[in-house]
């Protein structure tokens, strides 16, 4: 293993434990004493940025907070101002989160930057702690990485959180100037590529009994608010023949959605209804309206979009048969982001060098990410690669989220090797 300084097995586990301890330390920066919750532009966001910046400086990186609240660490290459290979992930969480979704990738990136202090890399090295991958506060995901990749939309300034605070006001409260958000933008010529380490948030690596995998592509989600419109009436006096029950219609639609998605198989479409609201919501009134969320994903946008067309047509048929109307409003659409072959190869080389859960000569598993990641946004300005780590029972977005120290140990070595492989390829290209 051509690392800059081979880390013997015991140190390997110690290094992994140090990463896990840092992830645990970040749990204290939470909006709730009862569960982990850290959202964009919150006091907890600032605290986490501060602590990770300490670790970045200890790793020899200079640190700054960019114009969108992302934390950025940088170490120059052999000459000042060279394009950078960026490593990173996010520091924000969903409500009642686990300790590793996002944070593990940032802390591992800092640890790899530390390991490579004396490596002669042909580029600058940067680490991003992105500020808002989940979109938990303002309902729009990837705000930090979209700012960095030049995709900020001024319409977002009026987005409001659950307390009615606008994104514009929250910027000011955090000490950021909304007029300067464009200063966060990175240009393609400044970047060599982007690599992200992340827990798989699914069961494939665990089922294969492998520590690590290479991400082939990241699914792009389409999110809708689907409305079934009927007529509120008396729960007792209205015979079935005269009912237009919006909740029964929505229930039929939701089971249809699940049936159609499941039928596409384990590598097919995933569709989730995460929220439903029923009006008027009284126990003795037939629901006149039901609004539910739909999150739709697939390995390719074409598969996803074809499934949406089919779902909408079949739901509309079942609603019409019940005298109900159907409306759908799409409020989020991300495009699938393929990982660049050369960066997939670099990550695979890292796994081959570091992951002894694979038999000698075995090809690392390639899997598509059902979960979204900041890498999707960064794909707009540079080529991307992702390293997946096994996580316990595929659990994520839940406090039971967990990783094994041996997987983190292998992940650190693989991530370090991947960076060295990128360096080798960049030199070769010259
Ligand atoms: O929803 C997602 O896929 C990501 O975890 N935010
Ligand atoms: Mn997440
Ligand atoms: Mn994540």
């Amino acid at each position: 293993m051509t690392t800059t300084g081979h880390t013997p097995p015991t140190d390997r586990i110690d290094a992994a434990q140090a990463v896990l301890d840092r992830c645990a330390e970040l749990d204290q920066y939470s909006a709730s004493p009862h569960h982990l919750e850290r959202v964009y532009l919150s006091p907890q966001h600032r605290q986490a940025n501060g602590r990770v910046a300490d670790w970045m400086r200890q790793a020899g990186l200079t640190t700054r907070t960019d114009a969108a609240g992302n934390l950025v660490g940088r170490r120059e290459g052999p000459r000042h101002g060279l394009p950078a290979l960026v490593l990173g992930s996010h520091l924000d969480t969903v409500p009642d989160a686990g300790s590793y979704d996002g944070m593990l990738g940032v802390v591992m990136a800092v640890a790899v930057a530390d390991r490579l202090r004396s490596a002669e890399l042909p580029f600058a090295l940067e680490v991003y702690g992105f500020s808002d991958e989940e979109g938990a506060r303002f309902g729009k995901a990837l705000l930090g990485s979209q700012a960095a990749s030049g995709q900020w939309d001024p319409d977002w300034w009026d987005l409001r959180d659950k307390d009615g605070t606008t994104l514009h006001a929250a910027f000011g409260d955090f000490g950021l100037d909304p007029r300067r958000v464009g200063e966060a933008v990175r240009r393609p010529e400044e970047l060599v590529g982007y690599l992200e380490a992340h827990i798989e948030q699914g069961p494939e690596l665990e089922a294969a009994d492998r520590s690590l995998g290479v991400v082939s592509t990241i699914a792009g989600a389409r999110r809708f608010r689907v409305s079934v419109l009927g007529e509120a009436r008396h729960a007792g006096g209205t015979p079935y023949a005269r009912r237009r029950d919006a909740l029964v219609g929505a229930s039929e639609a939701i089971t249809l959605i699940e049936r159609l998605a499941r039928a596409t198989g384990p590598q097919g479409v995933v569709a989730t209804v995460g929220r439903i609201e029923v009006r008027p919501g009284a126990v003795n009134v037939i629901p006149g309206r039901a609004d539910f969320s739909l999150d739709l994903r697939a390995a390719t946008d074409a598969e996803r979009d074809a499934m949406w067309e089919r779902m909408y047509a079949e739901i509309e048929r079942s609603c019409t048969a019940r005298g109900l109307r159907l409306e759908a409003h799409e409020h989020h659409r991300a495009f699938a982001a393929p990982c660049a072959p050369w960066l997939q190869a670099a990550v695979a080389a890292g796994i081959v060098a570091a992951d002894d859960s694979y038999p000698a000569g075995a090809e690392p598993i390639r899997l598509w990410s059902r979960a979204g990641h900041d890498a999707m946004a960064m794909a707009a300005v540079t080529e991307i690669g992702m390293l997946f780590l096994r996580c316990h029972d595929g659990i994520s977005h839940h406090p039971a989220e967990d990783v094994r120290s041996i997987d983190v140990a292998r992940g650190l070595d693989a991530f370090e090797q991947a960076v060295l492989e990128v360096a080798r390829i960049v030199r070769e290209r010259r």
Side-chain angles (χ1 to χ4, degrees):
M1 190 162 55
T2 55
T3 61
T4 47
H6 180 70
T7 43
T10 44
D11 290 2
R12 223 179 163 200
I13 292 297
D14 293 350
Q17 194 52 51
V19 164
L20 294 171
D21 293 346
R22 284 185 166 181
C23 290
E25 186 179 338
L26 292 175
D27 286 353
Q28 67 184 302
Y29 307 124
S30 173
S32 164
H34 308 299
H35 64 255
L36 176 54
E37 182 168 2
R38 184 163 56 241
V39 296
Y40 190 31
L41 303 177
S42 62
Q44 298 77 36
H45 168 191
R46 184 191 310 284
Q47 292 162 334
N49 273 12
R51 192 68 184 108
V52 175
D54 292 341
W55 298 334
M56 285 182 172
R57 285 188 288 273
Q58 289 165 19
L61 304 174
T62 56
T63 61
R64 64 186 176 90
T65 300
D66 77 4
N70 298 308
L71 175 64
V72 189
R74 179 178 170 97
R75 180 166 60 231
E76 293 299 334
R79 289 186 318 283
H80 190 85
L82 286 178
L85 174 66
V86 177
L87 314 179
S89 194
H90 58 95
L91 293 172
D92 67 301
T93 76
V94 293
D96 200 9
S99 306
Y100 305 106
D101 172 5
M103 285 67 79
L104 181 66
V106 177
V107 174
M108 283 178 68
V110 173
V112 165
D114 192 22
R115 286 181 176 201
L116 292 173
R117 273 171 190 264
S118 52
E120 261 290 298
L121 301 175
F123 39 69
L125 194 63
E126 290 192 14
V127 175
Y128 265 76
F130 285 111
S131 51
D132 185 39
E133 188 276 338
E134 303 290 1
R137 181 174 180 185
F138 295 101
K140 191 99 193 111
L142 305 172
L143 289 183
S145 42
Q146 288 193 91
S149 54
Q151 302 177 81
W152 191 272
D153 181 338
D155 289 350
W156 298 344
W157 290 125
D158 298 328
L159 291 171
R160 289 182 186 274
D161 66 12
K162 61 184 182 334
D163 302 323
T165 305
T166 63
L167 177 54
H168 191 276
F171 250 61
D173 298 343
F174 196 76
L176 297 171
D177 180 347
R179 294 166 300 179
R180 301 180 60 180
V181 69
E183 293 173 17
V185 177
R186 304 307 298 272
R187 297 185 312 280
E189 59 274 19
E190 292 177 73
L191 304 171
V192 167
Y194 174 77
L195 286 182
E196 181 167 357
H198 203 288
I199 51 171
E200 180 199 338
Q201 299 176 299
E204 286 195 50
L205 290 175
E206 190 167 65
D209 195 21
R210 297 283 178 260
S211 282
L212 307 172
V214 182
V215 177
S216 55
T217 187
I218 307 166
R222 287 181 72 179
R223 292 178 185 152
F224 305 85
R225 187 185 65 254
V226 180
S227 304
V228 176
L229 307 166
E231 185 185 36
R233 285 231 181 162
H234 195 287
T238 312
Y240 280 108
R242 302 182 60 167
R243 292 183 179 216
R244 292 194 293 126
D245 185 327
L247 181 52
V248 170
S251 310
E252 211 165 59
I254 292 166
T255 48
L256 173 72
I257 285 167
E258 199 225 19
R259 183 158 41 80
L260 290 174
R262 286 187 80 137
T264 61
Q267 294 303 324
V269 174
V270 273
T272 309
V273 175
R275 193 167 46 216
I276 187 166
E277 289 164 65
V278 178
R279 290 184 207 149
V283 294
N284 58 350
V285 180
I286 299 168
R289 177 184 186 114
D291 297 280
F292 60 86
S293 66
L294 173 60
D295 175 306
L296 193 61
R297 310 177 192 206
T300 65
D301 294 346
E303 270 172 282
R304 176 199 64 189
D305 298 346
M307 177 52 80
W308 169 241
E309 296 304 316
R310 185 172 170 205
M311 274 180 181
Y312 188 87
E314 295 210 18
I315 294 168
E316 193 170 45
R317 255 196 301 282
S318 81
C319 284
T320 306
R322 288 179 174 274
L324 301 168
R325 264 189 324 108
L326 174 66
E327 289 176 1
H329 166 70
E330 180 170 21
H331 56 86
H332 173 83
R333 179 187 301 216
F335 297 104
C339 293
W342 75 286
L343 289 176
Q344 288 191 48
V347 172
I351 292 172
V352 167
D355 185 352
D356 36 304
S357 74
Y358 283 90
E363 186 58 30
I365 290 173
R366 298 205 187 214
L367 58 170
W368 62 279
S369 175
R370 279 78 170 167
H373 300 286
D374 288 304
M376 301 169 80
M378 291 303 283
V381 280
T382 194
E383 292 183 298
I384 64 169
M386 283 195 74
L387 168 69
F388 263 178
L389 284 82
R390 167 171 47 188
C391 60
H392 170 64
D393 198 21
I395 296 170
S396 184
H397 285 191
H398 187 282
E401 199 173 82
D402 200 3
V403 283
R404 304 179 201 182
S405 59
I406 183 61
D407 293 344
V408 174
R410 289 167 174 155
L412 281 169
D413 290 349
F415 207 8
E416 178 186 7
Q417 287 298 310
V419 172
L420 292 172
E421 178 65 8
V422 168
R424 189 192 63 74
I425 296 169
V426 166
R427 282 193 201 95
E428 215 172 55
R429 283 178 172 175
R430 284 200 178 142

